[in-house]
Amino acid sequence: MEDREYMALALELAERGVGWASPNPMVGAVIVRDGRIIGQGWHERCGQPHAERNALSACTESPRGATLYVTLEPCCHYGRQPPCTQAILEAGIRRVVVGSSDPNPLVAGKGIALLREQGVEVTQHVLEEACDRLNQVFFHYIRTRRPYVVMKYAMTLDGKIAAYTGDSRWVTGEAARAHVQQLRHRYTGIMVGVGTVLADDPLLTCRIPGGRSPVRILCDTHLRTPLTAQVVTTARQAPTLLATCCGEEARRAAYEAAGCQVLVLPEHQGHVDLNALMDELGRREIDSVLLEGGGTLNWAALEQGVVQKILAYLAPKLVGGREAKTPVEGAGAARMAQAIPLNNSTVIQIGTDFLIESEVAPCVHRDC
């Protein structure tokens, strides 16, 4: 096997930390000596040992003189865990092969420099694109201290998310809906508007056995969420944040008594200021948000520039209806030239449906 093949294995290992490593990056590590894999590991959960230390502890023989393959530059600072560079040096690793550089200012090339200063051979940029893609969320969060926001919706081929009656069960098939549960496990938070709560009374949890349910975030400008809503009555079982502009302490008290955390935020064009909300979520170490909103909240998120990715599930059916809801509503763009461009689109088939994944072009609504 060559460097790329060992790094591909490290990437597979890193994926096992999905949903659990947050807000840390997903990282995998493989240790090879004389053409034999003698240790492997990944970052299993935030607060637990990093991939390099897990791989070293799993070694079937001494790693002295071996090569370590790791998807992300080893850390060289004390955080929740001690520095991995220290463990690498103490183990006598001869060569380190790195996929991505770590943009964390506490690392950012310092880990690689330290290893080289101590005589360790370092090879960089192996499968770098794939390693970078694995940690899109972490890279965005560590650079901005705001969550990576993924807007997800399901629509018919004529662009409808529900019939004109409001009925939306189901736009897509079982396979696509199961895929959404994987997203709920992957991303730290899930966000909807009060309109979705009033229309559907969703639970917004992950229904994969053993999966991790996201922090529920409700945008409710005037606190209209019923106290009987599932997101309120289960707030002690699944963390629930209510983002509002309502300053009346007495009205907030009932939600807080039920176990919700109420965030009083500034107003933007008559609704919760989503940029202020993203700042607050970042402070709470919510590094990613799955936005499952309706057309009004989706447009507000796009207009305020807080969305990084779009996941559109497309069902091969037509529902019609002049009044039927669409995934992005609001005021919209006045001219086609003002449409929000999307980049790097991919299409995959899931069951009978199709998933179109696109990245929102940066700096659409603001200077960079």
Side-chain angles (χ1 to χ4, degrees):
M1 294 176 68
E2 298 181 351
D3 285 352
R4 292 172 62 87
E5 294 173 291
Y6 288 122
M7 188 62 75
L9 174 57
L11 277 165
E12 291 179 14
L13 293 168
E15 279 279 2
R16 299 185 187 182
V18 67
W20 301 114
S22 168
N24 287 348
M26 290 180 281
V27 183
V30 176
I31 300 173
V32 178
R33 183 175 181 182
D34 299 328
R36 294 173 290 106
I37 295 174
I38 63 170
Q40 52 188 357
W42 66 96
H43 184 37
E44 298 176 12
R45 286 179 183 258
C46 180
Q48 294 185 7
H50 292 178
E52 298 93 324
R53 289 182 177 272
N54 281 334
L56 287 167
S57 66
C59 279
T60 56
E61 60 185 76
S62 172
R64 186 162 299 278
T67 297
L68 167 69
Y69 294 85
V70 62
T71 56
L72 184 69
E73 176 182 1
C75 65
C76 55
H77 66 290
Y78 282 88
R80 291 184 174 94
Q81 291 289 321
C84 290
T85 50
Q86 178 186 35
I88 292 168
L89 294 171
E90 290 174 352
I93 294 292
R94 177 187 64 81
R95 178 174 177 243
V96 175
V97 181
V98 176
S100 295
S101 298
D102 192 338
N104 187 339
L106 296 173
V107 186
K110 300 182 184 71
I112 289 170
L114 176 62
L115 291 173
R116 283 178 171 154
E117 288 170 5
Q118 297 299 314
V120 176
E121 178 187 347
V122 179
T123 301
Q124 295 179 255
H125 314 302
V126 175
L127 294 187
E128 183 175 30
E129 185 177 339
C131 291
D132 286 353
R133 188 164 54 248
L134 175 72
N135 280 309
Q136 279 182 319
V137 166
F138 172 73
F139 287 178
H140 175 83
Y141 176 69
I142 205 68
R143 287 169 175 146
T144 67
R145 290 297 171 184
R146 288 159 58 117
Y148 186 90
V149 178
V150 178
M151 178 188 293
K152 164 261 162 186
Y153 54 81
M155 67 180 184
T156 59
L157 273 179
D158 53 347
K160 308 298 185 181
I161 60 173
Y164 75 89
T165 59
D167 178 64
S168 61
R169 295 190 178 182
W170 296 103
V171 175
T172 54
E174 289 185 11
R177 298 200 302 273
H179 190 264
V180 170
Q181 298 305 313
Q182 296 177 30
L183 299 179
R184 290 185 177 185
H185 171 75
R186 173 177 289 267
Y187 297 112
T188 306
I190 185 169
M191 185 165 77
V192 300
V194 64
T196 297
V197 175
L198 293 172
D200 300 331
D201 191 23
L203 191 55
L204 302 177
T205 54
C206 174
R207 292 190 285 276
I208 298 174
R212 182 200 56 81
S213 286
V215 176
R216 302 178 297 190
I217 305 153
L218 314 181
C219 293
D220 186 357
T221 306
H222 305 295
L223 278 186
R224 295 189 294 135
T225 298
L227 291 171
T228 55
Q230 290 192 92
V231 288
V232 177
T233 59
T234 61
R236 297 196 185 280
Q237 288 76 53
T240 305
L241 307 179
L242 265 68
T244 185
C245 299
C246 178
E248 299 177 35
E249 187 175 343
R251 292 184 60 195
R252 301 198 308 265
Y255 296 98
E256 291 168 343
C260 299
Q261 300 177 60
V262 182
L263 310 178
V264 181
L265 297 168
E267 188 177 293
H268 176 83
Q269 297 181 355
H271 299 283
V272 169
D273 185 324
L274 296 180
N275 276 290
L277 174 57
M278 293 304 116
D279 288 338
E280 178 59 31
L281 296 180
R283 283 190 286 271
R284 292 169 177 259
E285 292 194 331
I286 295 175
D287 64 349
S288 55
V289 170
L290 182 63
L291 173 55
E292 292 197 10
T296 300
L297 180 58
N298 285 350
W299 172 252
L302 289 166
E303 191 275 332
Q304 293 182 51
V306 303
V307 180
Q308 282 68 54
K309 180 176 284 189
I310 307 292
L311 296 179
Y313 294 85
L314 194 60
K317 61 181 70 169
L318 304 172
V319 70
R322 184 182 298 110
E323 304 302 323
K325 296 287 187 179
T326 60
V328 182
E329 297 178 344
R335 301 188 306 276
M336 276 295 171
Q338 296 173 323
I340 296 170
L342 305 177
N343 300 330
N344 303 321
S345 296
T346 60
V347 181
I348 62 170
Q349 186 165 358
I350 301 178
T352 58
D353 305 304
F354 298 88
L355 172 60
I356 303 176
E357 180 175 328
S358 303
E359 295 174 3
V360 178
C363 311
V364 173
H365 295 290
R366 59 192 186 279
D367 294 332
C368 289

